[in-house]
Amino acid sequence: MPKLEDYKGEAPAWCPGCGNFPILKVFKDAVVELGIEPHQFTIVSGIGQAGKFPHYLKCNTFNGLHGRTLPVATGIRLANHEMPVIAVAGDGDCYGEGGNHLLHAMRRNINVKLFVHDNQIYGLTKGQASPTSMATDKGGMATKNQPFGVL
Ligand SMILES: Cc1ncc(C[n+]2csc(CCOP(=O)(O)OP(=O)(O)O)c2C)c(N)n1
Ligand SMILES: [Mg+2]
């Protein structure tokens, strides 16, 4: 049976209090509880704070390019039909840069599990609006890069 220590990766470089920490914790708890060994699946990500997720695990991983999480996940599924693939992406990675890949991945539906860390912002590059940034009653959500709100 796998143990939590088996999944211990690098120390996270996320900011204290970041919502990515609980996602990492429950992910590890879940795979250990399900009895899944680190070699029994592959986890794929792109670029961003969410994209660092696999760095903080010890298992099969592939960290690809921004917005290209799902093409890599698709390639692994095609190359090895026995290998379960988990894709991890930010909202920018998945719905912005990789938006068209998301449409085609849904159309192909080749059984990739996709987790989107939706913080409604481009976090790594310091706060540009993303496709999930909110509309507000004062116009769009204000960010450091769009101080008067996102159009
Ligand atoms: C093709 C490409 N475009 C832009 C960038 C710059 N870039 C790196 S991370 C990022 C935004 C990441 O936002 P998101 O996917 O929401 O992840 P988060 O950091 O919020 O978790 C951008 C625009 C890049 N590395 N590659
Ligand atoms: Mg984001």
Side-chain angles (χ1 to χ4, degrees):
M1 284 296 282
K3 297 186 284 303
L4 269 181
E5 304 86 82
D6 299 337
Y7 279 96
K8 193 173 181 339
E10 298 294 319
W14 294 320
C15 299
C18 177
N20 287 333
F21 284 102
I23 301 175
L24 182 64
K25 182 186 183 309
V26 296
F27 181 84
K28 286 200 259 190
D29 287 348
V31 283
V32 168
E33 192 177 315
L34 291 167
I36 301 172
E37 302 280 353
H39 67 276
Q40 290 179 314
F41 65 99
T42 299
I43 186 159
V44 177
S45 72
I47 300 295
Q49 295 293 0
K52 295 177 184 174
F53 192 82
H55 305 187
Y56 309 143
L57 292 164
K58 193 174 175 194
C59 55
N60 296 316
T61 65
F62 192 105
N63 193 179
L65 297 174
H66 195 34
R68 275 61 182 172
T69 307
L70 286 168
V72 175
T74 302
I76 297 169
R77 286 290 296 152
L78 291 176
N80 181 352
H81 296 183
E82 306 306 317
M83 177 63 75
V85 176
I86 296 171
V88 175
D91 43 310
D93 193 83
C94 190
Y95 306 133
E97 271 83 350
N100 216 25
H101 293 303
L102 176 64
L103 297 181
H104 288 290
M106 289 191 288
R107 185 176 59 80
R108 294 191 185 107
N109 194 16
I110 57 166
N111 197 12
V112 167
K113 303 283 179 285
L114 171 65
F115 292 81
V116 182
H117 296 213
D118 184 7
N119 56 1
Q120 304 182 309
I121 202 100
Y122 285 13
L124 184 75
T125 45
K126 308 289 181 230
Q128 299 85 2
S130 88
T132 54
S133 295
M134 298 291 277
T136 68
D137 53 7
K138 296 194 195 80
M141 185 177 109
T143 75
K144 274 196 263 180
N145 294 293
Q146 287 100 4
F148 304 110
V150 181
L151 294 178

